Amino acid sequence: LSKKGLVARYTFSDIITQDPAFLQLIEKGRRYAKVDGAVLLIGETGTGKELFAQSIHNASKRRGEPFVAINCAALPESLLESELFGYSEGAFSGAAKGGKQGLFELAHKGTIFLDEIGEMPLNLQAKLLRVLQEKEVRRVGGDTVVPVDVRVSSATNVNINQKVKRGEFRLDLFYRISLLNLRLISLSERLDDIPVLFLHFVTTYCATRHVDPPAILEEAYDVLK
């Protein structure tokens, strides 16, 4: 798994915070890890959505199994479909001999993390919904189905409720992926974490360069806040 990059490297102990509200989110994440429902992580870019997804995986009974992540906004629809569900030999020009496993198959017994799921095209949303309902995938160009046992974690930095109202995101899929949900707060909502994080980054930077960390004045923290 490590050679393939299909591992979750972070745990809840890697999350640096002293903010009471953020500590509550970590505790809720630990509780979510004990059950097997789909998790939707909501928050601005940089709030730590994948960090939480990996931590939930590593605290769950699926730890030791694959953790597979994909950014749904980074690929065009045609590529995203074959990446998620795989393809059969001869499915399209240039298809690999013997076909290719999709990410759902690679994540079997583990977790698949669908980042930026709010950007997924409607056509693909319908296919994803079927996979979640039937717990099986059909490769692009294939005529057989492959059973999969996968926990789905999703993340978005857009307001999916508004997308549902505009008809841009399926309501039935929204319910499927948000059985459990967490709204991660931004750094601007937890200013007291800035000194803790800044000290961590400075100390880490100095350690990699074998120099003593500098003294940091309170005035510097005030400016950063």
Side-chain angles (χ1 to χ4, degrees):
L1 291 176
S2 181
K3 287 181 180 178
K4 292 181 179 179
L6 305 178
V7 291
R9 305 187 184 280
Y10 297 105
T11 67
F12 286 115
S13 61
D14 292 311
I15 300 176
I16 299 168
T17 185
Q18 62 180 9
D19 182 81
F22 213 73
L23 289 170
Q24 286 182 1
L25 290 175
I26 292 174
E27 183 55 35
K28 185 178 284 189
R30 291 184 189 275
R31 294 201 303 272
Y32 286 177
K34 295 178 181 178
V35 295
D36 211 35
V39 181
L40 177 63
L41 300 157
I42 305 164
E44 298 175 14
T45 300
T47 49
K49 297 186 289 296
E50 184 165 357
L51 189 61
F52 264 79
Q54 292 193 23
S55 299
I56 290 171
H57 172 81
N58 276 330
S60 74
K61 65 181 182 181
R62 294 180 182 267
R63 61 185 172 274
E65 301 294 344
F67 178 89
V68 181
I70 184 170
N71 187 324
C72 297
L75 296 172
E77 182 176 346
S78 57
L79 280 178
L80 183 58
E81 181 177 6
S82 62
E83 282 293 308
L84 286 174
F85 309 130
Y87 57 80
S88 298
E89 182 175 348
F92 48 82
S93 178
K97 186 175 181 181
K100 180 186 174 183
Q101 281 186 314
L103 296 183
F104 268 92
E105 289 181 63
L106 288 174
H108 184 56
K109 297 293 185 181
T111 301
I112 189 167
F113 176 58
L114 304 175
D115 198 8
E116 305 303 345
I117 195 171
E119 305 301 330
M120 181 176 284
L122 273 170
N123 180 49
L124 260 185
Q125 290 177 29
K127 295 179 180 179
L128 174 60
L129 178 64
R130 182 165 182 81
V131 171
L132 300 185
Q133 288 174 334
E134 305 299 329
K135 300 186 186 305
E136 58 188 25
V137 296
R138 186 192 302 271
R139 293 184 182 183
V140 176
D143 55 5
T144 59
V145 295
V146 180
V148 289
D149 172 17
V150 174
R151 182 181 192 173
V152 175
S153 291
S154 308
T156 183
N157 61 5
V158 301
N159 190 324
I160 286 192
N161 285 311
Q162 289 184 359
K163 285 209 158 198
V164 169
K165 290 178 181 178
R166 294 196 299 264
E168 298 171 359
F169 200 90
R170 294 179 63 108
L171 181 61
D172 44 8
L173 178 59
F174 173 68
Y175 285 138
R176 280 277 175 179
I177 64 172
S178 62
L179 181 64
L180 308 169
N181 60 75
L182 278 176
R183 191 190 79 84
L184 303 186
I185 57 180
S186 66
L187 192 57
S188 62
E189 297 174 83
R190 50 186 184 106
L191 292 179
D192 287 341
D193 271 347
I194 286 179
V196 182
L197 289 165
F198 186 67
L199 180 61
H200 167 76
F201 292 136
V202 169
T203 303
T204 302
Y205 180 88
C206 291
T208 60
R209 282 151 184 79
H210 309 291
V211 297
D212 294 330
I216 304 170
L217 302 178
E218 284 299 320
E219 290 90 332
Y221 291 134
D222 292 337
V223 170
L224 288 168
K225 290 181 182 181

